[in-house]
Amino acid sequence: MAAQAQLTVPTDAELLQAQADLWRHSLYYMTSMAFQCAVKLGIPTTIHRLGGTASLPDLVTALSLPPAKLPYLRRIMRLLATSGVFATTDVDVYRLTPISFLLLDGIDVDGHPSQTTVVLAATARHCVEAALGLTDWFRKDVAGSPFEDLHGVTLFDGSMAEAEPEIDAVAWTPSPTAAAATAPPRDPSSRPSRTSIKCTVLDLPRVIDAIPADGVVNYVAGDMFNLVPPAQAVLVKLVLHHWSDEDCVKILAQCKKAIPSREEGGKVIVIDILVDPSSGPTHEAELLVDVAMMILTNGRQRDESDWAEIFTKAGFSGYNIVKKLGARGVFEVYP
Ligand SMILES: C[S@@+](CC[C@H](N)C(=O)[O-])C[C@H]1O[C@@H](n2cnc3c(N)ncnc32)[C@H](O)[C@@H]1O
């Protein structure tokens, strides 16, 4: 019989802290749900419209909530203020923080697009249900994600538009999958001029068909696994983390075919999560998005060596990390 491991009994102080931490870990989803509720009620935008700070009674009135809900709203706001979503300026008075600034809807602040779609998709019913199925999924010998196993379709399936529009809104965001700056190959030593840049956006037909032509961007309907339109540089932003390593190699191989040689200035620009344990509090976000990708897609978040391996397998000769933007890395990848 194997020897039993020696069990060190924690101190009373450690056990009390552990009990509080156990509640915290078990109930973290309450923060997610309170966060979703604040977004759905439109609290960040309402605080902004009320002049940047708002008292609870003002919020209740502006949101047209029943007055009896004020004490409940106080409890939600107190939790969200503790989590940094809002800040308090006085008793029962709240103001925006950088997190809630990202959630202003219908207000153009220096061209920052509202991130409400991300919150609503991440907390959508189909996604939460997939997460609840994680234990069953571990016990089954299946290849697809817990989302696919439970719902029978992938996150990107067209049926999601009807099943849960919140997921569809972010999974099929009309922003570019692969935006290609298609100026003719130029002297690599010359600096790019904005006016010479032509932009092509590749996405699936059902996404492209919904975008009105603007005469500026060339929208191309297609499949990045089959063909990426020729370009001087191809930009792939927050796309690859949804896909397995094998799929990433296939996508990047198509990108490589689309660009000229390294000597002629050809490159692929990849902007995606770069897992880095030294990135402080951002690292927890990197790991949370990684597990979200595991539950919702066949993708994952990658550290630098994972990215390097994929770039090499896709036939690229080298890469540079030109910037780290929060949890994201900006890579230039050379043919
Ligand atoms: C999460 S979005 C991309 C995020 C966006 N680039 C951004 O920065 O916010 C994923 C995109 O990949 C597109 N997509 C999925 N499969 C594709 C395929 N086979 N070919 C081209 N685009 C595809 C989706 O339509 C969607 O626009």
Side-chain angles (χ1 to χ4, degrees), residues 171-173 175-177 203-204 207 223-225 237-238 242-243:
W172 305 96
T173 170
S175 56
T177 291
D203 212 303
L204 290 168
V207 179
D223 179 351
M224 62 191 170
F225 285 93
K237 176 170 162 275
L238 291 179
H242 288 113
W243 300 94

Side-chain angles (χ1 to χ4, degrees), residues 46-264:
T46 305
I47 293 179
H48 176 71
R49 295 222 160 102
L50 290 172
T53 55
S55 68
L56 275 183
D58 287 349
L59 269 179
V60 167
T61 307
L63 296 168
S64 306
L65 302 180
K69 288 287 159 58
L70 188 145
Y72 301 98
L73 187 65
R74 173 181 292 125
R75 288 155 72 178
I76 297 285
M77 293 300 283
R78 184 172 63 175
L79 174 66
L80 292 176
T82 306
S83 312
V85 178
F86 301 107
T88 41
T89 58
D90 207 340
V91 180
D92 282 352
V93 180
Y94 293 90
R95 66 170 169 78
L96 300 178
T97 62
I99 301 177
S100 35
F101 168 88
L102 286 175
L103 300 169
L104 295 179
D105 237 346
I107 296 159
D108 186 20
V109 199
D110 286 343
H112 285 282
S114 170
Q115 299 280 298
T116 53
T117 50
V118 175
V119 179
L120 297 181
T123 55
R125 191 173 52 82
H126 279 75
C127 298
V128 175
E129 282 173 358
L132 289 171
L134 191 57
T135 315
D136 286 345
W137 176 82
F138 262 108
R139 292 195 172 122
K140 277 195 227 166
D141 194 8
V142 288
S145 66
F147 186 100
E148 211 177 330
D149 183 42
L150 184 71
H151 299 303
V153 291
T154 67
L155 184 73
F156 294 111
D157 194 85
S159 63
M160 274 295 126
E162 226 169 274
E164 196 151 20
E166 285 84 1
I167 295 181
D168 199 60
V170 82
W172 305 96
T173 170
S175 56
T177 291
T182 56
R186 56 182 166 77
D187 170 1
S189 62
S190 70
R191 297 186 66 77
S193 118
R194 275 171 185 253
T195 50
S196 71
I197 291 179
K198 291 186 199 149
C199 185
T200 299
V201 170
L202 169 72
D203 212 303
L204 290 168
R206 91 176 182 90
V207 179
I208 295 296
D209 291 350
I211 303 175
D214 57 16
V216 179
V217 173
N218 178 27
Y219 292 101
V220 172
D223 179 351
M224 62 191 170
F225 285 93
N226 291 336
L227 182 85
V228 172
Q232 181 73 22
V234 172
L235 170 67
V236 191
K237 176 170 162 275
L238 291 179
V239 169
L240 297 176
H241 71 154
H242 288 113
W243 300 94
S244 67
D245 290 359
E246 297 71 33
D247 285 338
C248 286
V249 170
K250 288 182 198 157
I251 296 165
L252 285 168
Q254 291 302 333
C255 295
K256 184 166 174 274
K257 282 191 206 160
I259 55 174
S261 69
R262 186 171 184 165
E263 294 68 38
E264 291 169 301

